Amino acid sequence: MTSFKGRYKNMGIKNSRLQGFFQLGPLERLEKVQAFDGLSDSDVNSLHGGAGGLSLERADKMIENVIGTYNLPLGIATNFRINGRDMLIPMVVEEPSIVAGASYAAKLIRAGGGFQTSSTDPLMIGQVQLVRVADPNNARAKILERKDELLSIANAQSRSLVRLGGGARDVEVNYFSTSPMGPMLVVHLIVDCRDAMGANAINSMCEAVAMLLEQITGGRAYLRILSNLSDRRLSRVRVVVPPSALERDGMTGEEVVDGILWAYSFAAVDPYRATTHNKGILNGIDPVLVATGNDWRAVESGAHAYASRNGRYTSLSVWERDEEGNLVGVLEMPLAVGIVGGATKVHPTAQAALKLLGVQHASDLAEICVAAGLANNLAAMRALACEGIQRGHMGLHARQIAMAAGATDSLVDELARRMVEERNIKPARAAELLAELQLQG
């Protein structure tokens, strides 16, 4: 695996530890973000939304039957240091505590040197399904004999990708002797996608080689499409957190490490827990994917499949204690992302988010994603082990309930404060408190 250290643009010496960032208003935060990375006014307008965001006209060209656009909050996770570089991470998400959790965990991880990341080559798999093949073993041999011809046809479909150093690299053949419909051969094209996610290029390549595969095997080609289990396109992150960084009132750092390791152990052995544990990892990854215009659904499907790669669904991350007593976490998973083509080149906010990150290659973005994923994983396990997840969510959830009850401006914070104090965060109580405050005011 290779690291993205030094592979993206020179961002100078920056510090993502923005003290008091959460206490600022949205426009003040935006000014801090602009100062951090020297974004243009146009970039800032795109991040801010409104007139600088996605226009109805542009949206109408992106998908079918457009009648409007839909806004979600865009937040900034602070404190990230990845391979020695300080970064601000844009995250688009509706769920409370995710941005705060990532920022807090990143601060803990800074105490151990930050995130260390790496990636494999961006190899993806395209599949061609062949049925009614009379002699599968002979057909397999014939396909491999003509591998160079198949690769040539595939690469003719994306000469620009080949010029950039990518393209179809290899051909593999798998035989399934039984299925609900009968036996089949499945041909894999192994494609280096460089900085693209690769779906369109791979699908075109599969379509192009299908006719020759039919001629070689005497079978019929049905499905010709990429696989979202991109298990040859992996990104990895490792963190070390000293116990001293995890100390809290009433608990030593060693006790917190114990609690986190018990939480991980639960996910390691129980698929019911592992599913929620892995959702916590994707809580950090998906918002970065959405912010940058990437296909979060493809990444999620690949992640869950990868979690089952050994025949049993388990935790994507691994946590342990090293010889010095430090908490050590590792996350390795498939991450097929792109920084060219698709929504990344169409959506103005996605373009601004990528500029803020300063990435030069798709692997850079993938490594940022796994760092955000492991940060959220740590934040969730720490909360579960130390105080229960609900307490961490309480304040933000109370504000949402207050707004849903009709509170505006300062009344939102007052209602939220009172409900948290009462530990009664319910719509009915919010309505009662709002009526009382309105009578008083």
Side-chain angles (χ1 to χ4, degrees):
M1 283 192 172
T2 57
S3 164
F4 84 125
K5 184 177 182 179
R7 291 207 312 262
Y8 58 105
K9 71 178 184 181
N10 181 11
M11 298 170 64
I13 299 173
K14 299 182 183 296
N15 189 346
S16 62
R17 284 281 293 118
L18 302 182
Q19 299 278 3
F21 190 68
F22 73 99
Q23 296 173 320
L24 302 176
L27 293 179
E28 293 174 304
R29 294 187 197 116
L30 196 57
E31 289 175 0
K32 290 275 190 182
V33 171
Q34 184 175 22
F36 178 88
D37 204 33
L39 298 175
S40 68
D41 289 342
S42 176
D43 297 324
V44 169
N45 285 336
S46 295
L47 291 172
H48 181 251
L54 181 65
S55 68
L56 190 61
E57 293 74 20
R58 184 165 293 196
D60 191 41
K61 301 297 188 292
M62 293 177 68
I63 65 167
E64 305 79 17
N65 300 343
V66 166
I67 61 167
T69 60
Y70 183 93
N71 290 330
L72 286 171
L74 191 160
I76 295 293
T78 59
N79 304 323
F80 276 77
R81 177 171 290 164
I82 303 176
N83 294 339
R85 292 266 189 183
D86 275 38
M87 308 188 77
L88 298 178
I89 312 297
M91 305 180 85
V92 172
V93 67
E94 85 296 342
E95 183 177 334
S97 300
I98 289 176
V99 178
S103 300
Y104 180 72
K107 183 171 70 172
L108 300 178
I109 290 165
R110 285 176 78 95
F115 302 85
Q116 301 300 317
T117 65
S118 58
S119 293
T120 63
D121 287 338
L123 299 179
M124 299 281 286
I125 294 172
Q127 297 182 296
V128 181
Q129 177 195 34
L130 296 165
V131 305
R132 303 192 188 102
V133 177
D135 187 346
N137 289 329
N138 186 47
R140 179 182 184 278
K142 288 182 176 180
I143 290 170
L144 295 178
E145 284 174 4
R146 300 180 70 174
K147 179 176 75 171
D148 290 345
E149 186 178 354
L150 289 163
L151 293 176
S152 178
I153 293 171
N155 283 326
Q157 311 311 306
S158 186
R159 298 190 187 281
S160 60
L161 181 60
V162 174
R163 282 198 300 271
L164 292 169
R169 292 276 185 261
D170 202 359
V171 174
E172 299 172 350
V173 185
N174 298 297
Y175 177 56
F176 296 91
S177 59
T178 60
S179 82
M181 285 294 290
M184 69 183 78
L185 277 181
V186 179
V187 178
H188 283 184
L189 283 179
I190 311 302
V191 182
D192 184 332
C193 296
R194 296 289 88 194
D195 293 324
M197 186 273 184
N200 291 333
I202 293 169
N203 291 342
S204 296
M205 290 178 179
C206 289
E207 292 282 357
V209 300
M211 183 178 295
L212 179 56
L213 288 171
E214 288 181 330
Q215 293 172 5
I216 294 171
T217 65
R220 178 173 177 182
Y222 273 99
L223 272 63
R224 293 155 277 195
I225 190 170
L226 90 161
S227 168
N228 287 126
L229 177 52
S230 52
D231 57 359
R232 306 189 195 194
R233 190 175 187 174
L234 302 174
S235 292
R236 186 178 191 271
V237 59
R238 182 179 185 271
V239 300
V240 177
V241 187
S244 58
L246 294 164
E247 292 176 1
R248 51 170 286 119
D249 291 343
M251 294 184 74
T252 66
E254 288 74 15
E255 289 173 326
V256 176
V257 171
D258 266 353
I260 290 171
L261 291 177
W262 276 114
Y264 158 69
S265 297
F266 189 1
V269 299
D270 182 356
Y272 290 93
R273 174 61 204 147
T275 302
T276 309
H277 178 93
N278 289 340
K279 190 265 185 182
I281 292 171
L282 292 162
N283 273 348
I285 293 173
D286 286 351
V288 184
L289 298 174
V290 176
T292 57
N294 272 274
D295 187 348
W296 56 270
R297 301 160 306 281
V299 170
E300 284 216 345
S301 63
H304 291 301
Y306 193 69
S308 304
R309 65 192 180 279
N310 294 321
R312 181 179 61 85
Y313 188 88
T314 188
S315 168
L316 285 165
S317 60
V318 175
W319 293 88
E320 60 187 5
R321 196 191 329 250
D322 67 13
E323 293 179 355
E324 287 76 40
N326 298 310
L327 179 67
V328 179
V330 174
L331 172 62
E332 181 178 270
M333 59 177 282
L335 253 160
V337 299
I339 63 170
V340 296
T344 61
K345 288 299 183 183
V346 175
H347 200 301
T349 307
Q351 293 173 324
L354 285 169
K355 187 173 181 180
L356 172 62
L357 291 170
V359 296
Q360 291 291 287
H361 299 286
S363 55
D364 303 345
L365 177 58
E367 291 170 29
I368 290 167
C369 287
V370 287
L374 195 61
N376 265 89
N377 186 212
L378 174 59
M381 288 196 301
R382 179 196 166 278
L384 285 165
C386 296
E387 60 203 26
I389 200 73
Q390 196 59 31
R391 181 177 172 185
H393 280 278
M394 199 175 292
L396 287 168
H397 181 56
R399 290 173 63 186
Q400 289 188 337
I401 293 294
M403 287 188 287
T408 57
D409 302 327
S410 61
L411 289 181
V412 172
D413 291 332
E414 180 62 18
L415 256 70
R417 184 186 66 78
R418 293 196 186 188
M419 286 190 289
V420 169
E421 284 181 356
E422 296 175 4
R423 302 184 71 83
N424 184 11
I425 306 172
K426 296 180 180 178
R429 184 54 180 153
E432 292 171 356
L433 287 171
L434 179 60
E436 290 176 15
L437 291 171
Q438 288 173 335
L439 284 173
Q440 294 171 9

